[in-house]
Amino acid sequence: MMIVFLGPPGAGKGTQAETISKEKKIPHISSGNLLREAVEAGTETGKKARNYIEKGLLVPDQIVVDIIKDRILKNDSKAGFVLDGFPRTLSQAKVLDEMLKNLGKSLDMVFYFSVSRESVVQRLSGRLICGTCGANYHKIYVPSSKDGLCDKCGGKLNQRADDKPETILERLRVYHEQTEGLIDYYKKSGILREILSDDRRIEMITKNISDIIEDTVQKKSLIGRGVN
Ligand code: AMP
């Protein structure tokens, strides 16, 4: 299953991608995580990307496309993947289609996470991430039991540099200007599924996504066996 999670920052894509990746045994490929890893490792790519990320702007297409291509060509992505945060521009979407076509494949589904602007701002401004294992918390909605420390590994919880109020608003503006148009792009190709991500429990949303994937897998296998 080749799946894309599309939606504004703070819509819950990363959290859901983690769970679905484990459930379906396909890798979670997050462009944001790959870029942050490059920044931390101090690679040439990381040095180029850092400024854009800190300002809440999109990293130039070519840099992100190269990182994603390398990742998708790894062996563990052959049976599928959950792409989270990529594509974010029309040109990225076209490159992805072309790349999969060259591999004799195509995207199976794009989940669009729809969520209100208020929820996004609330979620991002309270979000805390474990510096050691990457687990996600929220100051109010998903607090850790030990103040400032991760329940899973004891690591220190930090706010992401781009989760500061002014950067959150910039990221939302950029999403609206450069990414939102992809909803129509994928609607036209008939693979878009909308997921309401506002006030529902995380497990309910996971079940919703998981059921849609199962349904699609079954339909594909029936078509493959010539049953309509
Ligand atoms: P995320 O973790 O998905 O919220 O991404 C964090 C930041 O990484 C974004 O605000 C961008 O600066 C950068 N980034 C992640 N994915 C992309 C992408 N597909 N295209 C351009 N920039 C990206």
Side-chain angles (χ1 to χ4, degrees):
M1 278 278 122
M2 313 226 155
I3 300 169
V4 163
F5 280 2
L6 175 69
K13 305 186 298 294
T15 307
Q16 293 297 337
E18 273 298 303
T19 316
I20 294 293
S21 143
K22 283 191 193 119
E23 204 177 275
K24 308 292 176 206
K25 300 188 173 52
I26 47 178
H28 167 202
I29 304 181
S30 153
S31 47
N33 285 351
L34 292 171
L35 287 166
R36 279 185 292 276
E37 278 164 26
V39 170
E40 261 165 49
T43 63
E44 277 313 305
T45 302
K47 283 179 197 153
K48 286 184 205 151
R50 181 181 200 128
N51 234 322
Y52 296 96
I53 298 177
E54 284 180 357
K55 289 191 182 130
L57 299 173
L58 292 191
V59 172
D61 282 342
Q62 200 50 54
I63 297 179
V64 191
V65 162
D66 285 349
I67 280 197
I68 290 289
K69 270 192 176 167
D70 282 353
R71 184 63 191 83
I72 286 183
L73 290 174
K74 287 199 171 148
N75 257 338
D76 66 341
S77 304
K78 277 196 180 138
F81 47 72
V82 186
L83 260 182
D84 154 25
F86 185 95
R88 259 174 157 103
T89 63
L90 189 57
S91 98
Q92 291 179 12
K94 289 185 172 163
V95 170
L96 178 63
D97 282 349
E98 195 57 33
M99 184 190 173
L100 294 179
K101 197 170 150 198
N102 290 338
L103 295 170
K105 294 174 177 167
S106 62
L107 283 178
D108 293 289
M109 264 168 282
V110 174
F111 287 95
Y112 160 52
F113 286 59
S114 80
V115 61
S116 73
R117 189 182 166 87
E118 295 73 43
S119 295
V120 163
V121 174
Q122 259 178 12
R123 285 180 194 180
L124 292 181
S125 52
R127 176 162 74 173
L128 293 171
I129 315 253
C130 172
T132 310
C133 75
N136 267 280
Y137 293 85
H138 189 281
K139 286 177 193 164
I140 299 163
Y141 308 123
V142 194
S144 72
S145 53
K146 296 166 255 164
D147 201 21
L149 297 177
C150 179
D151 287 336
K152 293 180 186 149
C153 75
K156 194 169 170 293
L157 303 184
N158 309 307
Q159 186 177 46
R160 253 170 62 171
D162 58 351
D163 279 345
K164 302 210 165 70
E166 61 282 10
T167 321
I168 292 173
L169 296 180
E170 182 63 359
R171 286 161 67 203
L172 283 171
R173 187 191 64 75
V174 167
Y175 169 76
H176 181 62
E177 260 184 36
Q178 305 193 52
T179 309
E180 218 164 39
L182 292 182
I183 298 170
D184 258 359
Y185 178 79
Y186 288 122
K187 212 182 256 174
K188 282 185 189 133
S189 56
I191 56 171
L192 192 83
R193 305 282 180 275
E194 183 167 351
I195 296 294
L196 303 176
S197 174
D198 244 338
D199 298 322
R200 296 196 302 156
R201 288 210 334 270
I202 290 176
E203 307 80 59
M204 293 282 297
I205 299 174
T206 309
K207 180 160 186 334
N208 192 184
I209 298 170
S210 189
D211 287 350
I212 294 175
I213 296 176
E214 280 319 305
D215 199 41
T216 309
V217 170
Q218 280 196 2
K219 278 187 190 140
K220 271 195 138 186
S221 92
L222 286 179
I223 291 167
R225 299 205 317 260
V227 183
N228 283 315

